[in-house]
Every structure is written in C-alpha cells, then in structure tokens.
C-alpha cells in the first residue's frame, strides 16, 4: 500500500511540475533577504542608489552591496554600509548578523532595543551618525560582542554598567557624545580581553576606578575631554600593555605616579589641561618607545633632567603653561624626530589652505601670553593629508570641511585611522563621499600608510608617481572613480601590496609587466576598464594571487598557460573580452578555484575535463564562446558544491550526462543554444525532484 501511494505521489508531483514549471521562478527569498529589505524600508534617502541598484530579489543576497556571507552556510554574516550617505533609522530586525557596520551615515532616531535579540552579533559599528537617546541596557546581553562602537553621535544618559560585563568584548568606543555619569568601581573585573576603551569627549565624571588595573590586555585608554577628577592611582602601573594613555582636559589632581615607568610599551602619554602637581618623574624618561609627551597646562614644577634626551623616539614634547624652572637641556635637540615640535605654540592658523602661521618656541609662558595664544602642532602627515583637501573641488556632504582641521589631532579626522603603536596615519578611507578633484603628490609622504581607499568618488587626472613611495601600502582601492590613461608601471614598487582594486575606471593601454614584482599580491581587480593587449604571462608568477578580475576590458590573445602556476587562485574572472584559443589544460590543476568565468569571449576547442574535478569550485561560466566537444559522463562526480553551471551559446554536443543529478547543490544551469541531446530538467526540476526523492526515501524507511 505504501509503495502504491509513493508511486502515486511521485506521478502527481511530476505532473504538477510539468503544469506549473512555466510559472516558477528562480528567486529564493530567504530570511536574510527579508531582514535586509526591512532595513532598506527604513532608509529615507540613498543618494547614490547603491541599494536600489544592488539589493534585488533577482540576485543572490550574497552579491548585494555591503553584504558578506559565510562560506559554509551561505548565510549573511556581515553588513557593511560604512560611509555608502544613507539616511533613516536603524531597523528593529537585523537577522542573525555577526557584523553590522553603518559608520559615517546620516542615521537618526534611537538605538532600537531589539538589537539585543541579535545574539550572534560580534561587531556593532554605528559611529559618525546622528543617533540620539540612551544606550539601551539590553545591549549588555549581547555576550558574543567583541567590538561596540557608537562614537560621534548625540547620545545622552549614563553608560549601562552591564556592558562592562561582556567578557568577550575587545573594544568599547563611546567617544564624541554627551554621555554622563561615572564609571563602575568594578570596571575591569568582567573585561578580561579588553584592548581599547574610548570614552573621550563626553561629560563623564568621578574618580578613576582602581579596578582599571585588572584590564591586563588594555592597549588604548582614551578618557580625554571629560570631567574625571581625583588622583591617578599607583595601580595604573599594572597596565603593562598600554600603548596610548589620553587623560587630557579633565580635573585630575595629585602627582604623576612613579609606577608609570612600567608602561614599557607606551607610545603616547597625554595629560594636558589638568591640575597635576609635583615634578615629572624621572622614570618616564626610561620609556624608550615614547613618541608623544604632552603635559602642558598643569601645575608641574621642578626642572627637566638631561635624561629626557634618552627618549630617542620622541616626536612631540608639550610642556608649556607649567611652573618649570631652569633651562631646557640642550641634549634634547639631538632627537631628530622632534623636528621643532618642542613646546610648539602657534597663533591660530589664519588660512589653512595656504598654511600661514607664526611659530614660537617657548619654555614658559605667562598667563597674559597664554590667553592670547592657542596650541597647534602641524605635522608632515597633516600637511600631506590636508593637501588632498586643497585639491578637492566638491565635497557635497561636507565630510572634510567639518572634520579636517589643524585644531584636532589628525587621528580624529573622518576617514583617518592611526596605528595603535606609533600613532602615525596608517589608513585613509575616503570612499563613497562623492568627492570631486585631483589626487595631489603629497600623499606620497604618508610613509606609514598601509591602507588607502579613494573608491566611489569623482577623482580625475593621472595618478601621481609619488604614490610609488608608499612602500608599506598593503591595500589600495581606486575603483569606481574616473581615472584615465595608462596603468602606471610604478605599481611594481609597492612590494607589500596585497589588494589592488582599479575596477570600474577608464584605464587604457597594457597591463605593465612590473606587476610581477608585487609578489605578495592576493587580489588584482581591473574589471570594467578599457585595457588592451594580452594577459601578461608574468601574472602566473604571483604565487599568492587569490583573485584575478579582468572582466569587461579589451583583452586579446590567449589565456596564458602560466596562470596554472598561481596555485592559490580562487577566482579567475576574464569574461567579456576578446580572448582566443583554447582553455589551458592546466587550469584544472587550480584546486582552490571557486569561480571560473570566461564568458563572452571567442574561445574554441573542448573544455578540459580536469576542470570538472575541481572539488571546491562553485561557479563555472563558459557562456557565449565557440567551445565544442562533449561533456564528461562523470560531469558532477567531482563537483560536490557546484552552484552555477553556465554552458549556453557554444557548440557542445552529445548527451547531457545523467551524473548531473549528483550536483546536489546546483541552483542555476544554463545549457541552451548547443547541440546537446537527451532529457534533462531545469533548475526548478532538480529542486522538485530532490524534494520528491527525499520524501520517498523517508517513506521507504518507515
């Protein structure tokens, strides 16, 4: 009876498929898609139409702008819409995200209480918006949280103490708000992994908790510009991993603890504008890594010993507005890194564009002089970054006008990130700001720069040759701009480069052979340009290459067999060109390949059978070529995770292999306009049959 019912069920379902297949679609609306569309519905302005153009049920959610999916389950794990200029509110439902990054937008309203339901959330970055209200108490229930950043908003109220019990948290960043109240006495008892505590520029008050010394991994403590008071306890000396200590513009009293000598990793010590008394402990001058010492405008006294010259890494020394006696030790001028930044007091920069200033080197200043002067310290890096601003003809959202000022530390400028160790600019991210202008030569002076992202703007002109001096650069994104002309050969000087993104520009000419010198390159993206010539054979010598994207250019010639030497290659995307010849047999030896796309070319010959044995491959796209030959009988035996197989528009003949049913993860199959024979089902048919066979299998095992 069960077998008869099973046969009837199978027949009925197949009949239903035949009748309804024409009405079925390939759209798979997942929970993640619905959650993201809920977010989109809360956005009232998307001036660059990033979401309108990308977020569509017609494409996989994993291909949407800002979305990253996990490699295992293909569920959305991260949403990054940092700076992309969207307006609206944070949605109440965000799904099972692990990362939510909405930094640098125009979000309004309050932080929704429902965020506490996102139990898997590890990173929440909603800084640089216009959020108001309190920090919800429920945020403290997110026990997987590692990074919590809500800087530069309009938040009020006190910080919920429960947040200081999230044992996995590494970064707490609430700077630039109007938060009040005090810190709990047990501050660090529940924070064993805390590395960064950013609370500067608020209205926090009270004494520094002695329990702070229990944050043994703490590297950055930024409490400047608050209303903290009381003495600095000797327990501070237990924070041996501390690299940056910013306590300026508060009401701290007492002396600088002798135990500060234990801060052997300290790079910046800033205690300006407090009520600290006594002398500067001689032990400070044993901190050999110290680059910034700022204790100006306190009540410090005594003389400065010659030992101060042992701070060989010192770059900035600010001692003015105290009651020191004696003279400044002359040995200090042997420290080359200071470059005149000893007690530099400037009149206010009258015209930042032309950098007009008057500098006076002073050791002590009277109260009368003090009231007429303001402090400014203009570094080479500030000049380099500021020169970029001077070349920008349009900044419609005023990101730079409002943030880039010599009155604040360059490390607090929008788009600028400084290294935690040396406090030098190591990242400049101006992407998606709708900026218009040229790139000046001065950024070549940012010698500590590791990451430079100028993508999705309206820069034009040539890339300055001085950029070839950025020898520490690892990440360079110049995509979606308006660059023209040839691709500079000086890219070959960037030996540390790992990611180079030049996509969606108007570059012409050939790919320089000097690219072979970038031996650490992992991603090379030059898609959608007007690049001509052949794919250089030397690309195959980039043994660390994981992604090669040359889609949508004017490349000719054959696919170089040397590409098979790039054994780590995961994505090879060379479609929409004018490539000729065969697909090299060696491509099948790239066992790490996940995406192989050679569509819309003029390739001939048969498809190497070895390609169908790349066990990690997820998408194979050969559409619109002149490929011939047959498909292997064991087509899907070696493709356990294949999701897309695109063969349409070729000259492939023979039977469609029955092994196609072994492609259990297949979602899209395109094989029209060939000479194939035999009966096979479309994607919907495969999905339906899988359900049927699974159900039949369950019945037979009962």
């Amino acid at each position: 009876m069960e077998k008869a019912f099973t046969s009837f069920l199978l027949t009925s379902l197949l009949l239903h498929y035949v009748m309804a297949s024409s009405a079925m679609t390939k759209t798979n609306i997942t929970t993640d898609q619905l959650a993201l569309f809920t977010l989109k519905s809360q956005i009232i302005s998307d001036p660059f139409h990033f979401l309108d153009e990308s977020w569509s049920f017609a494409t996989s959610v994993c291909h949407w702008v800002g979305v990253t999916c996990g490699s295992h389950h293909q569920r959305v794990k991260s949403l990054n819409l940092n700076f992309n200029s969207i307006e609206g509110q944070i949605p109440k439902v965000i799904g099972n995200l692990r990362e939510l990054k909405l930094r640098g937008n125009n979000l309004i309203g309050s932080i929704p209480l429902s965020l506490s339901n996102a139990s898997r959330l590890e990173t929440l970055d909603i800084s640089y918006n216009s959020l108001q209200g309190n920090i919800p108490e429920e945020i403290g229930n997110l026990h997987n949280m590692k990074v919590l950043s809500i800087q530069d908003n309009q938040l009020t109220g006190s910080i919920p103490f429960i947040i200081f019990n999230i044992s996995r948290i590494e970064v707490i960043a609430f700077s630039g708000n109007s938060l009040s109240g005090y810190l709990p006495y047990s501050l660090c008892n529940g924070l064993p992994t805390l590395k960064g505590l950013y609370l500067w520029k608020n209205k926090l008050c009270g004494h520094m908790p002695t329990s702070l010394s229990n944050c043994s991994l703490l590297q950055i403590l930024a409490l400047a510009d608050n209303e903290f008071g009381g003495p600095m306890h000797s327990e501070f000396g237990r924070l041996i991993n501390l690299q940056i200590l910013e306590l300026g513009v508060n009401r701290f009293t007492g002396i600088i603890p002798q135990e500060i000598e234990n801060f052997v990793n300290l790079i910046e010590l800033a205690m300006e504008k407090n009520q600290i008394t006594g002398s500067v402990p001689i032990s400070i001058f044993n901190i050999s890594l110290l680059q910034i010492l700022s204790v100006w405008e306190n009540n410090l006294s005594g003389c400065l010993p010659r030992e101060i010259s042992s701070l060989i890494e010192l770059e900035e020394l600010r001692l003015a507005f105290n009651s020191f006696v004696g003279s400044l030790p002359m040995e200090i001028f042997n420290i080359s890194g200071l470059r005149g930044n000893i007690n530099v007091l400037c009149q206010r920069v009258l015209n930042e564009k032309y950098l007009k200033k008057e500098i006076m080197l002073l050791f002590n200043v009277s109260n009368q002089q003090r009231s007429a002067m303001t402090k400014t310290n203009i570094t080479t890096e500030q000049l380099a970054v500021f020169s970029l601003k001077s070349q920008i003809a349009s900044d419609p959202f005023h990101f730079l006008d409002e943030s880039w000022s010599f009155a604040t530390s360059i490390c607090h400028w929008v788009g600028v990130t400084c290294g935690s160790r040396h406090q030098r600019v190591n990242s400049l991210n101006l992407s998606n700001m709708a900026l218009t202008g040229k790139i000046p030569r001065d950024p070549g002076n940012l010698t500590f720069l590791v990451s430079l992202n100028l993508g999705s703007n309206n820069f034009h002109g040539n890339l300055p040759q001085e950029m070839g001096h950025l020898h520490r650069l690892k990440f360079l994104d110049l995509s979606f701009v308006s660059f023209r002309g040839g691709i500079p050969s000086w890219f070959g000087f960037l030996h540390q480069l790992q990611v180079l993104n030049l996509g969606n520009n108007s570059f012409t000419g050939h790919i320089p052979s000097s690219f072979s010198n970038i031996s650490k390159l992992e991603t090379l993206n030059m898609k959608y340009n007007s690049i001509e010539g052949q794919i250089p054979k030397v690309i195959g010598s980039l043994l660390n290459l994981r992604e090669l994207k040359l889609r949508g250019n004017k490349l000719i010639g054959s696919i170089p067999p040397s590409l098979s030497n790039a054994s780590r290659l995961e994505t090879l995307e060379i479609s929409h060109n004018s490539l000729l010849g065969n697909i090299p047999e060696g491509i099948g030896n790239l066992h790490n390949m996940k995406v192989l796309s050679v569509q819309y070319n003029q390739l001939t010959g048969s498809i190497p059978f070895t390609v169908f044995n790349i066990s990690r491959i997820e998408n194979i796209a050969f559409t619109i070529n002149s490929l011939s030959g047959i498909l292997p009988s064991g087509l899907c035996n070696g493709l356990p995770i294949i999701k897309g197989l695109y063969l349409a528009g070729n000259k492939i003949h023979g039977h469609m292999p029955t092994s196609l049913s072994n492609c259990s993860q297949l979602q899209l199959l395109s094989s029209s306009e060939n000479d194939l024979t035999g009966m096979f089902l479309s994607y919907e048919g495969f999905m339906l049959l899988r359900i049927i066979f699974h159900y039949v299998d369950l019945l037979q095992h009962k």
Side-chain angles (χ1 to χ4, degrees), residues 503-534:
N504 297 81
N505 280 287
S506 299
F507 285 115
T508 58
H510 294 200
I511 300 174
S513 59
S514 61
F515 273 46
S516 62
N517 298 326
I518 320 175
S519 60
K520 296 184 179 181
L521 199 63
E522 296 180 10
T523 296
L524 178 57
N525 183 356
M526 295 190 284
K527 64 182 182 182
Y528 296 115
N529 280 280
S530 297
I531 301 171
E532 303 168 336
Q534 300 185 3

Side-chain angles (χ1 to χ4, degrees), residues 246-292:
E246 294 183 350
L247 304 178
V249 197
N250 277 288
R251 299 174 182 174
F252 288 112
T253 59
I255 63 173
I256 301 175
Q258 184 73 25
E259 289 77 8
I260 207 167
E261 65 181 343
N262 297 331
F263 296 165
V264 294
N265 296 303
L266 200 64
I267 295 171
E268 178 181 345
L269 176 59
M271 298 180 174
E272 68 273 3
K273 284 195 168 184
N274 279 284
Q275 301 168 26
I276 302 171
T277 59
S279 60
V280 178
I282 197 170
S283 58
I284 285 183
F285 308 129
N286 294 326
I287 306 175
S288 60
L289 298 178
L290 199 62
Q291 296 180 10
I292 297 175

Side-chain angles (χ1 to χ4, degrees), residues 104-156:
N105 286 288
N106 297 309
L107 297 176
I108 58 175
S110 59
I111 302 172
L113 300 179
S114 57
L115 275 183
S116 61
N117 297 326
S119 58
R120 300 178 67 187
L121 203 61
E122 296 178 0
T123 297
L124 176 61
D125 189 350
I126 47 179
S127 300
Y128 298 100
N129 282 287
S130 300
L131 300 172
Q132 298 178 332
N134 298 342
I135 300 174
E137 187 91 16
E138 291 78 4
I139 294 293
N141 297 325
L142 297 174
H143 301 300
N144 290 306
M145 188 74 74
K146 294 181 179 179
V147 176
L148 178 57
S149 181
I150 321 180
Q151 302 186 95
D152 285 86
N153 279 280
Q154 301 169 24
L155 300 177
T156 55

Side-chain angles (χ1 to χ4, degrees), residues 284-285 287-293 304-317 319 328-342:
I284 285 183
F285 308 129
I287 306 175
S288 60
L289 298 178
L290 199 62
Q291 296 180 10
I292 297 175
L293 176 57
L304 294 174
R306 292 183 176 180
E307 285 81 356
I308 195 172
S309 62
S310 64
L311 299 177
I312 58 175
E313 298 292 331
L314 204 61
E315 296 181 357
E316 299 178 15
L317 178 61
L319 305 172
L328 191 66
M330 295 303 295
E331 290 86 351
I332 201 171
F333 293 99
N334 295 328
I335 303 176
S336 60
L338 280 177
R339 297 178 182 174
N341 290 330
I342 306 172

